[in-house]
Amino acid sequence: MIADIADWAFQLRPDDSDLELAHKALVDTVAVTLAASDEPVVQMTTGLPEPLRWAAIGHALDFDDVHLPSSSHVSVVCVNATLSVGGGAREYLAAAGAMARIGTALGWRHYSQGWHTTCTAGAPAAAIAAGLTLGLDVAGLARAMALAIPGAGGLQRAFGTAGKALQVGFATDAGVRAARLAAAGATAAPAVLDDWFRLMGGRADLDLSGPTIPGGFAIKLHPCCYAMQRPISAVRGLSRPGKDLSLIERIRVHTPQTGMQPLIHHNPSTGLEAKFSMEYAVATTLVDEFPGIAEFTDASVNRASIRALMNRVEVAATPGPAEGVMDGETRIEIEWTDGTVTESALDLPYGHPELPASADDLSAKVTSCVGHARAAAIMDLSWPDAADVLRRNF
């Protein structure tokens, strides 16, 4: 069943809307990668293969786009796998469509058990991106995917450490390496793809119908886990004119349990941990209003004002049949010392595919990542130019 994706990818002929989506993904991915130029992962990965290095750096800030039906970061894998071997929009779209479908078919149960779907679905998808660029036929793509399977692993327990970005790099590199091996004549049994899918807990059939990227992408406006984008937006929607934050008595967050799945750090002490903390999402937004890259540093997390607010956050997570971090709504209630209560509820954050970020929003994000002097050039990037930009910088 999974091997059928090789034929789908080989036959894909993108239309204009696909190409527009691919360009947005390219721009967003390169921008957030350049924004991570000072992150420790840059030095950690010196001398390592390009697909590993670029994907790890691109995911270091957790600012890259998200495919919500698959609970995975599709573009950081598929853009970098494509660029590392000289591919373009078609190769990216074929890989991204495959990754979206594989991740969706693995399902919420796969993610909720602790797997990092960006890695599990990412390795075979990276093999498609590289394999198409290297000229593999359908059988060759299936072999490449099968050879990538030993590298198709990653766990949510790594969230809040360098391991999260690095395991995304490992999966991307595994796929590119597998494609090169398949192109060199390495044999493999495509049937392992179905065995792997079953062992990973996949239950749904692989749906090859519909648009190239079913569900589209969510563009992040804040550099942290997507499960934090909604509470951040909800806090920003609170009415608190003239209120002194020291007068907050208690902050209560009502959210579906699924929205807490990746938010495993309740008392973060580092910037990386804070990217996966509901408590920090609320505190930094109250203090900083629009948290950006500077708000997810170790120093920012350990500000006295932030620590005080985090201690007042109570999370009421509601169990239920919901699937996905965006199911249901998040409601924030703030109780003040004078007895008043302010609250805000939100079901979808801005940047969600149903509330898409505008071209101006993407331009503003790119500018925040690379600065005014470079923003126009990044917004107009071609695929060959993007690879050159990454090689010059990393």
Side-chain angles (χ1 to χ4, degrees):
M1 178 183 69
I2 293 290
D4 292 340
I5 199 73
D7 183 65
W8 177 89
F10 187 80
Q11 301 294 338
L12 178 69
R13 297 296 180 267
D15 60 23
D16 288 345
S17 63
D18 291 330
L19 295 174
E20 181 181 358
L21 182 62
H23 183 256
K24 288 180 180 178
L26 175 69
V27 168
D28 187 72
T29 302
V30 172
V32 300
T33 304
L34 294 175
S37 295
D38 294 328
E39 293 297 304
V41 72
V42 176
Q43 294 302 316
M44 291 174 192
T45 57
T46 299
L48 295 178
E50 284 180 347
L52 188 161
R53 191 162 197 238
W54 293 353
I57 296 170
H59 196 54
L61 295 175
D62 228 293
F63 211 1
D64 46 305
D65 67 27
V66 181
H67 181 252
L68 291 168
S70 65
S71 303
S72 69
H73 297 267
V74 165
S75 292
V76 74
V77 171
C78 297
V79 165
N80 288 303
T82 301
L83 292 177
S84 69
V85 291
R90 174 178 173 261
E91 292 77 21
Y92 160 76
L93 286 162
M99 183 170 172
R101 285 169 167 81
I102 293 171
T104 300
L106 285 170
W108 178 252
R109 181 173 177 271
H110 175 75
Y111 188 82
S112 66
Q113 287 183 331
W115 290 106
H116 188 191
T117 314
T118 302
C119 304
T120 51
I128 288 176
L132 284 172
T133 305
L134 295 172
L136 296 181
D137 59 13
V138 174
L141 290 178
R143 291 199 314 274
M145 292 172 68
L147 290 168
I149 288 304
L155 297 176
Q156 291 168 32
R157 185 57 62 185
F159 290 10
T161 73
K164 183 175 193 274
L166 289 170
Q167 66 189 16
V168 171
F170 299 155
T172 306
D173 186 52
V176 174
R177 183 174 64 243
R180 293 189 187 280
L181 289 167
T187 60
V192 306
L193 294 165
D194 288 336
D195 289 348
W196 166 82
F197 184 76
R198 174 178 53 80
L199 292 168
M200 283 291 186
R203 292 183 174 181
D205 290 335
L206 196 66
D207 185 359
L208 299 177
S209 65
T212 300
I213 314 293
F217 293 130
I219 299 296
K220 287 187 180 181
L221 300 185
H222 308 282
C224 55
C225 179
Y226 197 77
M228 291 168 61
Q229 308 292 311
R230 182 167 60 187
I232 287 173
S233 294
V235 173
R236 293 185 65 224
L238 284 166
S239 175
R240 49 187 175 91
K243 290 281 192 178
D244 181 346
L245 297 181
S246 68
L247 300 178
I248 291 177
E249 183 75 28
R250 183 173 71 160
I251 305 164
R252 194 164 178 82
V253 180
H254 301 267
T255 186
Q257 183 64 52
T258 52
M260 292 298 296
Q261 174 68 32
L263 304 185
I264 62 176
H265 294 285
H266 302 290
N267 186 31
S269 60
T270 69
L272 282 176
E273 290 177 350
K275 292 175 183 288
F276 304 92
S277 172
M278 176 67 81
E279 292 79 1
Y280 186 75
V282 173
T284 185
T285 310
L286 284 169
V287 172
D288 304 305
E289 297 186 0
F290 195 92
I293 293 172
E295 281 66 57
F296 288 91
T297 63
D298 295 357
S300 290
V301 174
N302 288 292
R303 287 173 288 172
S305 59
I306 291 291
R307 307 307 303 185
L309 286 171
M310 282 199 295
N311 288 335
R312 296 171 197 165
V313 176
E314 301 175 4
V315 178
T318 305
E323 294 191 355
V325 296
M326 283 296 107
D327 280 5
E329 72 168 18
T330 293
R331 179 161 51 90
I332 312 288
E333 296 176 355
I334 297 184
E335 298 180 13
W336 302 86
T337 54
D338 64 3
T340 60
V341 176
T342 54
E343 65 177 69
S344 175
L346 194 68
D347 57 354
L348 298 177
Y350 195 50
H352 186 280
E354 295 180 23
L355 292 172
S358 68
D360 287 343
D361 296 322
L362 180 59
S363 179
K365 177 180 176 179
V366 170
T367 300
S368 75
C369 288
V370 304
H372 287 280
R374 303 177 73 185
I378 299 301
M379 288 293 293
D380 291 334
L381 271 182
S382 68
W383 288 81
D385 288 343
D388 290 342
V389 165
L390 294 180
R391 288 193 176 101
R392 285 197 303 271
N393 283 272
F394 305 111

